[in-house]
Amino acid sequence: MAREPKTNYEKNGVKYYRVTVTLGRDCNGKLIRKEFYGKNKKDAEEKKDQYLNGINEGLNIDFSNVILGNLMRSWLFEIVRISSNIKPASFSRYEGVFRNYIENSLIYNIKLSDLKSIQIQRYYNNLKSIGKSSNSIKYLNKLLKQFFNYCVDEGYMLKNPCSGKRIVIPSDEIVGPQDEEVEYFTDEEVKILVDGLSKHSLKHIILINLGTGMRRGELLALQWDDINFQSKEICIKRSLSKTYLIDEDGSRKKQTIIQTPKNSHSIRTIPFPESLLPLFKELEIKQKKDKLAAGELYVNSDYIFTTAIGNLIDVGNLYNSYASLLKKLNIKHKKFHALRHTYATKLFEQGIPLKTVSQLLGHSNIEITANIYTHVIPKQKVDAVEKLNYMFKSL
């Protein structure tokens, strides 16, 4: 018995199995036929049956007229938004990309059945020509790729126009050997900063950040149970962020939330220097005094860093107070994240191995750490080679 061929049709160089069904006749008496494509006969038949079942249930959808923007909005708000795998901050970024790059764009009204990779490529090239960065376009492409995967899985499209090497992200012009330097505090600036913190409200946050290198959100989400004072270790398992929470109708409201850290490697246990122990003790005493002073207005919680009435620290207020402090101390302004960079830089300067620093920082791989701290690693290599001088003392 002859075997059934796996494919029987080729389109744009790709082989498929095609089945055809007659749906009736149009007003001119012409037969209405619809084709279904699959990786093999079974796959194509399943798509055909799904479509016919939809007709029987009154769900006849003509995929040929589905508009990219309309379906992407439905996918984003009705599927992605309610997924247990999506964090509010991530969805806020997705919604922002859709709002800024898909709505009212050149590609919004394109029919999925007509969409080709070259149309996406031209759109990206146009974005680059009006000043959008490669990173912005790359993030847009990442979201579109996820959406088109959904479209392929649901039968709206035969293939993903953003998959493989079909799309090239326009590159930024190379300004120099390093477009953006990592900001960190010098030893002199650290001394000025530490000396100027004795009675400042940010004393504990800044000093503990310098001694642990935690991300801002990880630091502000710390609870007392996360600290092991005997082993001098901190368990990092949550993060605070201020982001837009978006309803299904697209309305946006900014809110402070607590969530799990950005990746699985961020959930970690790190040691802290013994010199930080008195700071935690001072914080305990301060919270008790705040509670007595606020009385019934005080909000009880297990968080370490709180306001005078027990609320979580507002990120915007933290940044404003931090910027004012640097200005008062005549230190050139650096992002709050520079405290974390300072921690890592000083570890490298003390000869701590790359892998260890990467694990302490909670990076997903050491390549990320190496790429960020290129300003320190070359000096480490020079210092390491200099240690071989002992072999040549007799020369």
Side-chain angles (χ1 to χ4, degrees), residues 145-375:
K145 191 173 182 179
Q146 290 180 43
F147 167 63
F148 291 141
N149 280 336
Y150 164 79
C151 292
V152 172
D153 289 343
E154 291 297 307
Y156 292 101
M157 308 174 75
L158 289 176
K159 58 186 177 182
N160 188 331
C162 291
S163 65
K165 298 181 180 179
R166 294 188 174 97
I167 296 291
V168 176
I169 305 299
S171 60
D172 291 325
E173 292 182 11
I174 299 176
V175 177
Q178 188 173 343
D179 292 340
E180 184 179 350
E181 292 186 2
V182 171
E183 290 184 319
Y184 64 97
F185 292 97
T186 65
D187 288 339
E188 182 182 357
E189 289 173 328
V190 169
K191 186 177 186 310
I192 294 172
L193 184 59
V194 172
D195 291 344
L197 281 170
S198 59
K199 294 183 180 180
H200 198 276
S201 60
L202 294 184
K203 171 185 174 181
H204 302 92
I205 288 179
I206 289 178
L207 293 181
I208 291 173
N209 203 176
L210 277 173
T212 62
M214 286 186 283
R215 299 178 180 92
R216 180 212 67 208
E218 295 169 345
L219 186 71
L220 297 181
L222 276 182
Q223 296 184 2
W224 288 108
D225 287 346
D226 299 330
I227 314 295
N228 187 322
F229 294 104
Q230 282 69 43
S231 63
K232 296 187 289 294
E233 289 180 321
I234 298 174
C235 179
I236 301 169
K237 53 191 175 184
R238 69 186 73 81
S239 180
L240 176 149
S241 67
K242 193 169 187 178
T243 189
Y244 284 103
L245 296 184
I246 303 169
D247 292 332
E248 57 183 315
D249 62 357
S251 58
R252 306 158 77 236
K253 180 181 180 182
K254 207 160 194 179
Q255 190 170 320
T256 297
I257 60 171
I258 300 292
Q259 58 188 5
T260 55
K262 59 189 300 184
N263 59 60
S264 59
H265 295 270
S266 298
I267 301 174
R268 63 200 187 279
T269 298
I270 61 170
F272 63 87
E274 189 171 359
S275 55
L276 295 187
L277 282 171
L279 293 176
F280 285 113
K281 188 64 178 177
E282 287 178 15
L283 276 171
E284 281 188 298
I285 296 171
K286 177 182 177 299
Q287 277 194 345
K288 290 177 181 177
K289 289 181 178 179
D290 287 342
K291 187 172 182 179
L292 285 173
E296 293 182 357
L297 293 176
Y298 194 83
V299 179
N300 288 298
S301 74
D302 295 323
Y303 292 101
I304 293 177
F305 298 104
T306 55
T307 66
I309 60 171
N311 289 324
L312 290 169
I313 301 292
D314 180 83
V315 174
N317 293 339
L318 170 65
Y319 282 160
N320 292 336
S321 183
Y322 168 76
S324 298
L325 173 66
L326 295 186
K327 186 175 181 180
K328 179 182 176 182
L329 298 176
N330 292 316
I331 298 175
K332 181 183 176 182
H333 180 79
K334 297 177 178 65
K335 294 178 181 178
F336 191 83
H337 204 70
L339 296 168
R340 174 173 162 88
H341 288 323
T342 303
Y343 166 83
T345 299
K346 299 311 172 187
L347 287 177
F348 280 122
E349 290 177 353
Q350 294 300 315
I352 306 302
L354 174 61
K355 185 174 182 180
T356 301
V357 177
S358 183
Q359 290 173 337
L360 289 170
L361 293 173
H363 287 161
S364 57
N365 58 68
I366 61 173
E367 285 78 14
I368 293 174
T369 317
N371 289 336
I372 294 174
Y373 298 102
T374 53
H375 65 289

Side-chain angles (χ1 to χ4, degrees), residues 75-121:
W75 168 75
L76 195 62
F77 283 89
E78 297 175 33
I79 297 176
V80 177
R81 190 182 70 88
I82 64 172
S83 169
S84 59
N85 297 323
I86 190 77
K87 294 179 181 178
S90 297
F91 183 77
S92 179
R93 287 195 296 272
Y94 290 171
E95 187 273 340
V97 170
F98 177 80
R99 180 165 30 86
N100 294 314
Y101 292 96
I102 304 298
E103 276 189 342
N104 305 313
S105 74
L106 298 172
I107 64 172
Y108 186 97
N109 288 310
I110 295 178
K111 293 180 180 179
L112 289 176
S113 58
D114 297 334
L115 184 64
K116 305 296 180 187
S117 296
I118 190 63
Q119 292 168 291
I120 302 293
Q121 184 68 63

